[in-house]
Amino acid sequence: FDILASEAKSSDANKTLRDKSQWEKQLMQASDELSKLIPHASNLILVEDNLIGKDIIQGRDIKLFLESDGKYHGCPADGDEAIKEFKRLHTVGAEYIAFAWPAFWWLDYFSEFQQYLRSKFRCILQNETLVVFDLRP
């Protein structure tokens, strides 16, 4: 049993390292893509489930979705609340909205929010780490 327990611990440790390595790779990819895609000094709404943070790129005004007083406030109760909060941020100058991979589930769960964004704005990037919409006219 000691040998099996030792192998199981080793396997768990290797999985943890692989998962951490994958996370770091995705984070670097998302950071690089956002840095290239979002012009310096632009206003960006970032949907990331409080797992990435505003430091993913520098030189942009980033609002976490949903945030209150500059801090992550959790996800909306429903799609209508998501659309209402999005409209508020868009009205005060948001130029882009980016969904990072940890929050991709929002696009399915809040399907009316996704439909709203896709019907009104151009999706400028969609891959395994990001979905980004350009909110400018």
Side-chain angles (χ1 to χ4, degrees):
F1 289 113
D2 290 338
I3 293 172
L4 290 176
S6 176
E7 287 179 15
K9 285 181 185 178
S10 176
S11 176
D12 287 348
N14 287 337
K15 182 181 182 320
T16 300
L17 287 174
R18 282 193 311 274
D19 290 350
K20 184 178 179 187
S21 174
Q22 180 64 24
W23 179 271
E24 290 171 355
K25 179 181 173 189
Q26 287 175 297
L27 188 59
M28 287 180 56
Q29 180 181 350
S31 177
D32 289 345
E33 289 171 339
L34 285 173
S35 294
K36 291 174 188 171
L37 194 60
I38 309 298
H40 199 72
S42 294
N43 295 307
L44 170 68
I45 301 168
L46 182 60
V47 185
E48 49 82 59
D49 265 354
N50 202 33
L51 296 170
I52 295 173
K54 295 180 179 183
D55 293 337
I56 189 168
I57 57 171
Q58 302 299 310
R60 282 73 170 182
D61 181 15
I62 298 175
K63 303 283 189 236
L64 298 179
F65 197 75
L66 304 173
E67 86 174 19
S68 178
D69 297 323
K71 295 181 180 155
Y72 183 69
H73 189 64
C75 64
D78 56 32
D80 289 336
E81 183 182 347
I83 292 169
K84 180 180 174 184
E85 179 62 11
F86 165 78
K87 285 180 177 180
R88 184 187 70 77
L89 291 172
H90 188 225
T91 300
V92 296
E95 299 167 291
Y96 300 89
I97 186 168
F99 293 81
W101 78 97
F104 278 175
W105 66 271
W106 283 53
L107 297 168
D108 293 324
Y109 190 79
F110 301 112
S111 58
E112 55 276 302
F113 183 35
Q114 177 180 198
Q115 290 169 358
Y116 176 82
L117 291 172
R118 291 194 183 276
S119 71
K120 304 278 186 195
F121 306 101
R122 187 169 57 101
C123 181
I124 56 173
L125 179 68
Q126 183 167 344
N127 62 26
E128 67 277 357
T129 58
L130 293 167
V131 175
V132 182
F133 292 89
D134 186 338
L135 310 176
R136 299 170 301 170

